[in-house]
Amino acid sequence: KMGLPMATRIATHGYPLHAYDTSEAALQAVCAVNGVKAAKSLADIGRDCEVVILMLPDSTVVKKVLFGDMDGLAAHLKAGSVVIDMSSSSPSVTRELGPRLKAAGVDLIDAPVSGGVKRAIDGSLAIMAGGEPAVIARVKPLFLTMGKAIVETGMLGSGHAMKALNNYVSAAGLLAACEALKVGEDFGIAPDKIVAVLNASTGRNNSTENKLMQFIVPGSFNSGFALALMRKDINIATDLAQSLGSKTLLGEVLLRSWADAEAKLGHGADHTEIFRMLEK
């Protein structure tokens, strides 16, 4: 959902792009874009590419792609190349992988994104980049094909930490907005009036502006971002807080709510379907 429009933005800006995916359908879709060539293997990506962008489900997959037992990408990367992990990964795993790549002369930066499919398509993503400033500067022209707000967050792993924290705040805002919508409807207030007041008042947030009327009120629940991925990011944020000895008063309640929703609605549910839990 995200990798295809992001790759399309890069290719349409004239960069030669090699693509690889374990899904044949996904690979065919991206290679239908002018200027994109299909790679036969991860080894081909490593041999042919100066910069490698990973857009994957989680750190477990990222680690397997880079250092898998069979034929990991890292073994084929040339010294001086750059790996950019744009996935929503665990910052602790990112910090573990960085030195392993550095030992082979390869730089790693983490640059997760925010904005969803719509902003991936129009190239207005927010990108939070962690790592050495000189390496980020080297690949910033690539970032500018995909995003408008490029924020350098600091050391390696800080981008992934900020992505998890951002989604923690986003998940809290969505759940609160859904609860307000449900209570207001139960009281007899029309949904459009509830949303209009929230958006004209201090309760306004990303969910009230971009999710309630678009995906929840009509019951389409097709924002394109999975509930399971939101739960994963909340998990990363709460784990990060615990590892630092920080307290998150909402964290455990929020994690339980989203984990319960995932268990009941299924792994493939859209994250906006959290509202269906309140209807039950």
Side-chain angles (χ1 to χ4, degrees):
K1 290 184 175 74
M2 294 293 289
L4 174 58
M6 290 166 68
T8 300
R9 296 288 307 180
I10 295 171
T12 54
H13 278 77
Y15 288 94
L17 190 65
H18 297 249
Y20 179 77
D21 201 294
T22 54
S23 163
E24 185 61 33
L27 188 58
Q28 286 181 4
V30 73
C31 289
V33 177
N34 188 41
V36 182
K37 296 180 180 179
K40 294 181 180 179
S41 66
L42 288 173
D44 287 344
I45 291 287
R47 284 191 292 265
D48 296 339
C49 298
E50 179 183 353
V51 177
V52 177
I53 296 175
L54 306 178
M55 193 61 174
L56 299 167
D58 54 42
S59 287
T60 300
V61 182
V62 169
K63 194 172 183 177
K64 183 178 179 181
V65 165
L66 287 172
F67 298 103
D69 294 335
M70 298 296 291
D71 193 24
L73 174 62
H76 304 282
L77 291 167
K78 300 182 290 290
S81 57
V82 178
V83 174
I84 309 172
D85 184 10
M86 302 192 81
S87 322
S88 296
S89 299
S90 167
S92 60
V93 176
T94 302
R95 286 186 170 185
E96 169 199 334
L97 298 178
R100 293 178 67 180
L101 289 171
K102 196 72 170 178
V106 176
D107 287 302
L108 173 66
I109 59 176
D110 52 312
V113 304
S114 182
V117 174
K118 180 180 178 181
R119 289 174 61 183
I121 291 171
D122 67 19
S124 65
L125 290 169
I127 300 175
M128 46 219 88
E132 296 178 17
V135 182
I136 295 173
R138 180 179 162 194
V139 298
K140 194 170 184 178
L142 279 175
F143 289 156
L144 290 172
T145 69
M146 297 176 280
K148 287 186 177 178
I150 318 297
V151 181
E152 295 187 37
T153 51
M155 75 294 288
L156 183 68
S158 61
H160 283 146
M162 273 312 311
K163 174 59 189 289
L165 293 171
N166 175 76
N167 278 15
Y168 170 82
V169 173
S170 178
L174 176 56
L175 187 55
C178 286
E179 289 178 344
L181 179 65
K182 180 67 170 62
V183 173
E185 284 186 302
D186 289 347
F187 188 77
I189 307 171
D192 62 319
K193 302 302 182 186
I194 298 169
V195 177
V197 170
L198 290 172
N199 284 334
S201 308
T202 55
R204 178 170 56 90
N205 62 37
N206 178 264
S207 293
T208 65
E209 289 186 322
N210 300 309
K211 297 176 185 178
L212 292 186
M213 293 304 297
Q214 292 84 346
F215 308 113
I216 294 171
V217 172
S220 57
F221 304 115
N222 59 350
S223 74
F225 184 68
L227 191 151
L229 292 178
M230 183 67 90
R231 191 274 310 153
K232 179 203 70 175
D233 288 346
I234 299 167
N235 213 146
I236 292 173
T238 54
D239 284 350
L240 176 63
Q242 289 177 357
S243 72
L244 298 170
S246 298
K247 290 187 180 298
T248 52
L249 298 179
L250 285 175
E252 295 307 315
V253 174
L254 199 61
L255 182 57
R256 282 198 301 272
S257 298
W258 284 86
D260 185 47
E262 182 185 2
K264 291 178 179 176
L265 297 174
H267 190 75
D270 190 87
H271 80 293
T272 56
E273 291 186 72
I274 190 76
F275 182 78
R276 292 175 56 201
M277 297 295 294
L278 305 179
E279 290 183 313
K280 293 176 182 293

